[in-house]
């Protein structure tokens, strides 16, 4: 079975720009969660999508938005980038009822805002 | 203060020695996940605990969830260089099964 794939791996953007990060979930998983991880900290929950609907959201402003597609892949969009948005963005897929197997994480996208 | 506290923040251990990492919550842990992360990379799933008193093992790593479901420990026996990395605990604190709250991580260095 394939794992979670994220693209791009690295990205440099200018403050005020917009960015789109992509995630392909593991085969058989219909739920995707996005996390932001600043250097030296644990991940912070951004939101989760289940069957193309937002299923929960963390404490992030509306300029963080997402989509999930019929094939369960997902996008994270961030508008009006700020310097503090510089972080590792992680995507994790899961299957409800099988959380004992854990969430499968991608390798992340390292976003640098200058 | 953080909802999920991990200790210690960092650990340097001689190869072959045992070690323990702790994860403590002020709320009930409905599900507790242990992951390992190489610097700047994705998270690798180790174990998930849900029931009070539960204990799981995989190779030389054992994780326990205490009876009151507010603390978990991760124990590594006879540490090896491959155990080096950052260990993170993540928890479902609401029972909603969608948002995980994470500790800040424990950085483990193995000295040869």
């Amino acid at each position: 079975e394939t794992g979670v794939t994220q693209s791009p791996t690295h990205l440099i953007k200018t403050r005020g720009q917009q960015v789109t990060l992509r995630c392909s979930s593991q085969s058989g998983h219909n739920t995707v969660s996005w996390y932001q991880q600043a250097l030296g900290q644990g991940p912070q929950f951004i939101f989760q999508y289940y069957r193309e609907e937002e299923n929960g959201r963390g404490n992030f402003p509306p300029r963080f938005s997402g989509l999930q597609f019929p094939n369960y892949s997902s996008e994270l969009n961030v508008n009006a980038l700020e310097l503090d948005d510089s972080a590792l963005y992680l995507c994790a897929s899961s299957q409800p009822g099988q959380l004992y197997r854990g969430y499968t994480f991608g390798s992340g996208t390292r976003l640098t805002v200058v | 203060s953080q909802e999920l506290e991990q200790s210690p923040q960092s650990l340097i251990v001689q190869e072959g020695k045992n070690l323990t990492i702790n994860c403590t919550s002020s709320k009930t842990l409905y599900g507790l996940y242990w992951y390992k992360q190489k610097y700047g990379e994705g998270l690798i799933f180790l174990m998930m605990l849900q029931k009070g008193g539960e204990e799981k093992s995989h190779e030389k790593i054992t994780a326990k969830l205490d009876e009151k479901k507010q603390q978990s420990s991760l124990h590594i026996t006879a540490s090896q260089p491959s155990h080096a990395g950052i260990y993170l605990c993540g928890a479902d604190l609401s029972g909603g099964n969608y948002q995980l709250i994470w500790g800040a991580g424990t950085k483990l260095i193995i000295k040869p």
Side-chain angles (χ1 to χ4, degrees):
Chain A
E1 63 187 14
T2 58
V4 173
T5 304
Q6 290 189 243
S7 63
T9 54
H10 294 84
L11 203 52
I12 299 175
K13 288 287 189 178
T14 303
R15 190 172 50 183
Q17 285 189 313
Q18 178 265 343
V19 69
T20 297
L21 310 182
R22 294 179 175 82
C23 171
S24 295
S25 59
Q26 180 170 311
S27 175
H29 287 183
N30 59 15
T31 303
V32 173
S33 305
W34 285 92
Y35 288 86
Q36 179 195 68
Q37 186 178 26
L39 204 59
Q41 298 181 23
Q44 298 287 318
F45 176 75
I46 302 175
F47 42 56
Q48 184 185 83
Y49 278 84
Y50 170 66
R51 292 187 175 180
E52 303 177 60
E53 297 285 334
E54 188 178 287
N55 189 42
R57 189 180 181 92
N59 191 25
F60 279 81
R63 60 189 184 85
F64 286 78
S65 63
L67 282 173
Q68 188 180 30
F69 300 100
N71 66 354
Y72 305 130
S73 66
S74 177
E75 286 182 355
L76 165 65
N77 298 290
V78 187
N79 293 322
L81 284 166
E82 300 177 0
L83 297 179
D84 284 349
D85 294 334
S86 296
L88 180 69
Y89 287 84
L90 295 164
C91 167
S93 71
S94 59
Q95 183 68 14
Q98 295 187 5
L99 292 181
Y100 63 92
R101 294 186 176 182
Y103 294 77
T104 303
F105 280 81
S107 297
T109 294
R110 172 72 61 186
L111 173 65
T112 302
V113 182
V114 297
Chain B
S1 64
Q2 288 214 353
E3 292 182 273
L4 210 58
E5 296 276 355
Q6 269 188 255
S7 62
Q9 286 186 320
S10 62
L11 199 51
I12 302 174
V13 173
Q14 192 76 38
E15 183 177 351
K17 296 294 185 183
N18 303 336
L19 63 106
T20 299
I21 297 169
N22 293 303
C23 179
T24 303
S25 171
S26 56
K27 300 179 181 178
T28 298
L29 298 166
Y30 289 93
L32 190 286
Y33 299 78
W34 283 102
Y35 280 81
K36 180 184 174 185
Q37 184 177 32
K38 293 284 190 180
Y39 178 75
E41 298 181 10
L43 280 63
I44 299 167
F45 175 67
L46 297 175
M47 274 166 277
M48 185 265 194
L49 304 165
Q50 205 165 18
K51 299 175 184 175
E54 188 173 10
E55 180 175 322
K56 288 186 178 178
S57 294
H58 176 66
E59 298 180 344
K60 295 185 178 180
I61 301 176
T62 300
K64 301 178 185 179
L65 183 61
D66 77 353
E67 290 286 347
K68 292 183 179 179
K69 294 176 65 175
Q70 289 195 285
Q71 186 174 37
S72 178
S73 60
L74 185 82
H75 185 76
I76 298 177
T77 304
S79 58
Q80 301 169 344
S82 60
H83 289 130
I86 300 169
Y87 288 81
L88 289 155
C89 63
D92 174 4
L93 299 181
S94 66
N97 287 329
Y98 68 87
Q99 175 177 355
L100 293 186
I101 304 298
W102 296 86
T106 295
K107 185 176 181 180
L108 175 61
I109 296 171
I110 306 295
K111 283 173 53 178

